[in-house]
Amino acid sequence: MPGFLVSFGALSLTVHGLVVSSILLPAAFTSFFAGHLADKVGRLNAITLGAVIYAVGAAVEAGAVSLTMFIPGRALAGIGEGFFLSTVVVYICEICPPERRGPVASLVQLLTTFGIPAGYFNCYGSVNIESPYSWRLPFILQAVLAVALACTCRFLPSSPRWEIGVIRPEQDRQLTDFSWIFSNSKRNWSLLERL
């Protein structure tokens, strides 16, 4: 974007590669630890934490006045992305009825695929703004959406698999199939409510 070049100048190929990879590498690295975090604090808390970290990183990117501020902002966003993206699919699989699990879990990838062109069109729509907001606006939107995700998580039900593992691990360690939760039996729903 011309506004980005005005703010930061022309980037060499090496610096351009550093800027691009500064979000990808931290995301890949933190995704290895997201499962351990989600097991400790819960799926929704891990998603919320990742979304908040991502929002802070996107806000730093939006407010960056130099590459030394922009690149760490991207790295911070990558850390948050690694936490929430890998945990979202696990959470969906754990709360979804078995017969719908595949299509619903793949919905995350479908929405990510739709998000890529939406991001391109967002940048296309803001490129002609005659101010630094031409390149800052997409990052502001990312921060707002990440905060919305973090706030939405407060209203979602907790994962039954995580609840059982935390509340009664010694009794229910052998349970692996939670299809009983989604049956129409009132007795099963009352068992779930007691968790």
Side-chain angles (χ1 to χ4, degrees), residues 29-49:
F29 183 73
T30 55
S31 68
F32 291 120
F33 304 103
H36 297 294
L37 177 70
D39 286 343
K40 292 280 186 199
V41 301
R43 311 299 186 239
L44 291 174
N45 289 333
I47 294 169
T48 301
L49 177 65

Side-chain angles (χ1 to χ4, degrees), residues 84-172:
F84 80 79
L85 272 181
S86 55
T87 309
V88 163
V89 177
V90 173
Y91 172 72
I92 289 172
C93 288
E94 289 181 353
I95 66 165
C96 193
E99 63 274 4
R100 296 189 190 126
R101 194 169 290 151
V104 173
S106 63
L107 189 64
V108 173
Q109 184 60 46
L110 178 66
L111 292 176
T112 301
T113 304
F114 284 143
I116 292 169
Y120 286 141
F121 284 114
N122 182 17
C123 291
Y124 180 74
S126 68
V127 73
N128 292 324
I129 297 173
E130 298 291 331
S131 76
Y133 284 106
S134 65
W135 67 268
R136 294 180 194 272
L137 191 61
F139 294 112
I140 293 169
L141 182 60
Q142 288 177 16
V144 168
L145 290 174
V147 168
L149 172 63
C151 292
T152 303
C153 284
R154 301 294 93 201
F155 300 103
L156 296 175
S158 185
S159 164
R161 179 176 295 273
W162 182 78
E163 291 279 338
I164 287 175
V166 168
I167 294 174
R168 301 182 312 181
E170 66 285 343
Q171 297 172 13
D172 298 315

Side-chain angles (χ1 to χ4, degrees), residues 4 6-9 59-71 132 135-136:
F4 186 85
V6 168
S7 297
F8 297 114
V60 169
E61 289 174 278
V65 294
S66 67
L67 281 178
T68 55
M69 185 177 175
F70 186 76
I71 292 173
W135 67 268
R136 294 180 194 272

